[in-house]
Amino acid sequence: MEERSKKPTRGRQERLVLVVAFPEVQLLDLTGPATVFSTASALLGSGQTGYRVEIAALRTGPVKTMGGMLLHATTRLDRVREPVDTLLVPGGPVTVTPDAEPALTPHLRRLAGRSRRVASVCTGSFLLARAGLLDGKRATTHWASSADLQRQHPRCEVLADRIFIRDGRTWTSAGVTSGMDLALALVEEDFGRELARNVARWLVMYLQRPGGQSQFSVQLASQWAERAPIREVQQWLPEHLREELSVEALSKRAAMSPRNFARAFRDQVGQTPAKYVEQLRVEAARAALETTRQPIKEIATKTGFGTMETLHRVFRRSLGVTPAEYRQRFSTGG
């Protein structure tokens, strides 16, 4: 990489995206964003300069990823001397362990200082946090590891229900495929919404994924019912939040008596039907507040709360803020 930086260039240099690799890295954390950046470069057309993705590790050569596939690190971290546009740190289950990859820490600190921005995918946030790069910042990670990140690094404010977060020049994203969402947002920041839209269309992905990890967290973090009737109700619920979802209505859908349904639901899911439905509705409302400019009254109706007053009361009780306050803090536009 040192040699490449000395070569004469014509016009504007490519934006260097330096992706950090290490043993047992999650492959898609790395290849997903890399594909977004390379696609953006291909779609820019002649006369415009895009991205150059380099894989850096403690040593050059093959790196065994989670699942056994091999990556090839093209440069050593200690030999990177040129300015870095984006330092990207992927994750993998191995990074959650408090003493994971300690040799990376000084390199991340040094490279962060010469990078325009720093980003992590999934549990790569743990590596940034250990390097002190998330102190005093808001961040996210895979929903299943968010509590661990907050516990291990209390100086970081962990928001578990986000696809990605930007805090200054530091970006963090949620689990695995959200790295592509983050990369697409970086492309939009660099080259505008039209190119980001074209990249999303080419890769058959959302330009902006609706909602946050909220669209996954209740259903993935909760228990799934053992019995088919209740499990089918769980699967049906997210797309029908506007409907009447009382125990009586849900038990009818499951072809069970209300008393039997309520008891079985609590035993198999771990909470009452009413609480489960409320959580789904809160998450749907949060997604709408984050990503759209729909009037709050309309959101209350679409998510099944009925009135603004009910939505306000539930938000106050479950999140400690009003819907308007939540939107002001977490809106990503729309």
Side-chain angles (χ1 to χ4, degrees), residues 150-169:
Q150 187 67 82
R151 182 170 57 254
Q152 291 180 28
H153 303 281
R155 297 184 64 185
C156 169
E157 181 186 357
V158 180
L159 303 176
D161 189 34
R162 303 295 294 276
I163 292 294
F164 61 83
I165 291 175
R166 178 184 185 179
D167 192 329
R169 68 186 190 95

Side-chain angles (χ1 to χ4, degrees), residues 19-22 30 54-64 70-77:
V19 186
V20 178
F22 48 87
L30 191 154
E54 295 276 359
I55 300 175
L58 294 175
R59 291 171 293 278
T60 57
V63 178
K64 187 177 180 181
L70 297 179
L71 289 170
H72 186 83
T74 54
T75 190
R76 279 172 40 172
L77 288 165

Side-chain angles (χ1 to χ4, degrees), residues 3-239:
E3 290 75 12
R4 181 179 299 200
S5 67
K6 296 176 182 177
K7 292 181 180 179
T9 58
R10 294 182 179 180
R12 184 177 177 182
Q13 287 187 325
E14 292 175 302
R15 299 169 184 260
L16 173 60
V17 178
L18 191 69
V19 186
V20 178
F22 48 87
E24 298 301 315
V25 65
Q26 166 60 255
L27 182 63
L28 191 54
D29 284 8
L30 191 154
T31 57
T35 300
V36 171
F37 291 124
S38 63
T39 303
S41 296
L43 294 177
L44 274 170
S46 61
Q48 297 192 68
T49 305
Y51 301 96
R52 171 166 60 92
V53 179
E54 295 276 359
I55 300 175
L58 294 175
R59 291 171 293 278
T60 57
V63 178
K64 187 177 180 181
T65 69
M66 179 185 171
M69 296 185 69
L70 297 179
L71 289 170
H72 186 83
T74 54
T75 190
R76 279 172 40 172
L77 288 165
D78 61 353
R79 292 184 177 177
V80 178
R81 295 291 182 265
E82 64 182 290
V84 176
D85 183 79
T86 304
L87 176 64
L88 183 66
V89 182
V94 65
T95 62
V96 178
T97 304
D99 59 352
E101 297 298 328
L104 290 179
T105 298
H107 296 294
L108 295 180
R109 287 179 183 146
R110 181 182 69 83
L111 290 169
R114 62 189 304 112
S115 301
R116 181 170 71 92
R117 61 192 174 196
V118 177
S120 67
V121 180
C122 195
T123 57
S125 55
F126 284 78
L127 298 178
L128 292 187
R130 283 176 207 133
L133 301 176
L134 297 184
D135 288 354
K137 295 184 179 296
R138 295 183 302 133
T140 193
T141 192
H142 192 286
W143 61 268
S145 300
S146 59
D148 287 329
L149 181 62
Q150 187 67 82
R151 182 170 57 254
Q152 291 180 28
H153 303 281
R155 297 184 64 185
C156 169
E157 181 186 357
V158 180
L159 303 176
D161 189 34
R162 303 295 294 276
I163 292 294
F164 61 83
I165 291 175
R166 178 184 185 179
D167 192 329
R169 68 186 190 95
T170 303
W171 301 65
T172 53
S173 63
V176 193
T177 58
S178 65
M180 298 181 72
D181 296 274
L182 180 146
L184 198 61
L186 299 180
V187 170
E188 182 175 351
E189 180 185 57
D190 295 340
F191 295 102
R193 194 170 184 84
E194 185 59 29
L195 178 61
R197 182 181 293 110
N198 289 337
V199 172
R201 184 181 300 118
W202 189 262
L203 296 179
V204 195
M205 59 182 291
Y206 285 113
L207 175 59
Q208 184 176 54
R209 193 190 305 206
Q213 293 190 81
S214 60
Q215 60 188 309
F216 311 113
S217 59
V218 165
Q219 290 197 304
L220 292 184
S222 299
Q223 297 174 199
W224 279 95
E226 297 175 0
R227 293 178 57 184
I230 295 177
R231 187 168 61 248
E232 289 167 2
V233 168
Q234 285 181 279
Q235 295 169 338
W236 174 84
L237 276 170
E239 301 300 321

